[in-house]
Amino acid sequence: MDKKQKKLLCIGIGALACLVLLIIVLIINNSRSTSAANEAIARADSLSIANDQLLLTNEFNQLNADFNQYEGQQIYLKNDSLVQKYNEARMKVEGLIQELNDEKSKNAKNMAQSREKIKKLEGEIATLKNIVRHYLEEIKRLGEENEGLKQEIQQVQQKNEQLSSQYTAATKSNAELTQTVKLAKKLNITGVSFHAYNKKGRVEKNITKARQLGVSFTVSPNNTAAPGMKDFYMRIISPEGTLLGNGGNFHLDGASVASTAHRSVEYANEEVSVSIYWDVNTTLTPGDYTVEVFCDGYRLASRHFTMKK
């Protein structure tokens, strides 16, 4: 082989070597470009998943806020099926939140599966959100209706209290009026006196010698009182606290009360003098004697008299 052929052979080998080297370089660069592209795609997928998860979390947070806002309204829905549906929807929300948290903790190599799972959760949220909104609107509406009924009940109660107060006031006024009328009909007496009399019918200062005791008084005119026969009852209480005599019973404040003596007198709404006597049938002692006069169920007078020996 001459020099010219050797030179051509060397040039050919060199050119082949350069071509091989160029091919190797192109393969390496292409491999690096593919790897970089894959990494860029992976980063984009990761950012997309993170963004989807953030939006999903915000959706759940908003749902929870709505739950917390209307949770107290359940008091208006006792024994109502709406409460059960409401609580079931909330449990589903809590379950989806847990699934979302689980998706966040998964490895980046499962990005495709995570993306698919997130899309599914987003669809479930969209459906669930509408259901929850419906329940919340129903709860709010029922709450407003119950609040209206509550106000009506309070108004009725206030009206009843006012009527009760008016009735009580009217009853009290009627009772006072009735009492006033009764008092107006009550007879008034003046000049009440108490004396002891001896066997000759004369006033006796020595109580131990008394054969008769007498109470005298004057009935004042009263046009309000009903005219007719009036029974006046006298009670004499000895210094020992014993009721003297047995003049029959009369009624006072619903009770039967014993008297010393009594007398019936015709009353014509004019002034009339009355005297009631009791024949002594026991030993009398000096001291303070209490004298009471009654008529028509009223105590007309109560006086104390000191009798000496």
Side-chain angles (χ1 to χ4, degrees), residues 79-98:
N79 301 323
D80 195 287
S81 60
L82 186 58
V83 173
Q84 181 178 358
K85 295 178 181 178
Y86 175 86
N87 290 331
E88 289 176 355
R90 181 166 188 172
M91 292 178 64
K92 289 181 180 179
V93 171
E94 293 175 350
L96 292 178
I97 291 177
Q98 183 60 47

Side-chain angles (χ1 to χ4, degrees), residues 8-220:
L8 291 173
L9 180 61
C10 290
I11 293 172
I13 293 172
L16 181 61
C18 290
L19 180 60
V20 171
L21 180 61
L22 179 60
I23 292 173
I24 294 174
V25 170
L26 291 175
I27 291 174
I28 293 174
N29 289 337
N30 183 63
S31 177
R32 290 178 178 177
S33 297
T34 301
S35 178
N38 290 336
E39 291 179 0
I41 293 172
R43 285 196 298 270
D45 287 343
S46 178
L47 290 174
S48 177
I49 291 174
N51 182 65
D52 289 342
Q53 290 177 338
L54 179 60
L55 293 176
L56 193 58
T57 301
N58 291 336
E59 291 281 353
F60 278 118
N61 290 339
Q62 183 61 46
L63 284 175
N64 276 332
D66 291 338
F67 277 126
N68 294 332
Q69 179 181 358
Y70 293 103
E71 187 174 11
Q73 301 290 344
Q74 292 189 41
I75 60 175
Y76 299 111
L77 305 171
K78 291 182 179 179
N79 301 323
D80 195 287
S81 60
L82 186 58
V83 173
Q84 181 178 358
K85 295 178 181 178
Y86 175 86
N87 290 331
E88 289 176 355
R90 181 166 188 172
M91 292 178 64
K92 289 181 180 179
V93 171
E94 293 175 350
L96 292 178
I97 291 177
Q98 183 60 47
E99 289 187 43
L100 177 62
N101 292 332
D102 293 342
E103 288 298 320
K104 287 182 178 181
S105 64
K106 287 184 178 181
N107 196 297
K109 66 181 180 179
N110 295 322
M111 288 180 183
Q113 295 180 358
S114 296
R115 190 184 305 110
E116 182 180 353
K117 182 66 173 180
I118 289 174
K119 293 299 181 181
K120 180 181 178 182
L121 292 177
E122 287 177 345
E124 293 179 1
I125 287 177
T127 302
L128 183 59
K129 185 176 180 180
N130 292 331
I131 295 175
V132 171
R133 291 298 181 206
H134 170 71
Y135 292 157
L136 293 181
E137 289 174 359
E138 284 295 304
I139 290 174
K140 183 179 180 181
R141 181 182 63 80
L142 293 175
E144 291 174 350
E145 290 180 359
N146 280 275
E147 186 64 27
L149 291 175
K150 181 179 179 182
Q151 292 178 358
E152 291 181 8
I153 292 173
Q154 289 177 346
Q155 292 175 356
V156 172
Q157 289 177 341
Q158 292 175 356
K159 186 65 176 179
N160 288 339
E161 290 175 358
Q162 292 176 357
L163 292 176
S164 178
S165 299
Q166 293 175 0
Y167 174 78
T168 301
T171 301
K172 181 179 179 181
S173 178
N174 289 338
E176 292 175 349
L177 181 60
T178 301
Q179 183 64 20
T180 300
V181 172
K182 289 178 64 177
L183 292 175
K185 294 180 178 180
K186 176 184 175 182
L187 296 177
N188 294 318
I189 62 175
T190 60
V192 179
S193 63
F194 176 60
H195 296 287
Y197 300 92
N198 56 29
K199 61 183 179 179
K200 295 182 179 181
R202 297 177 180 177
V203 175
E204 177 62 57
K205 294 184 179 180
N206 188 345
I207 189 65
T208 61
K209 296 181 180 181
R211 294 296 179 267
Q212 193 177 54
L213 298 179
V215 175
S216 300
F217 51 87
T218 299
V219 182
S220 302

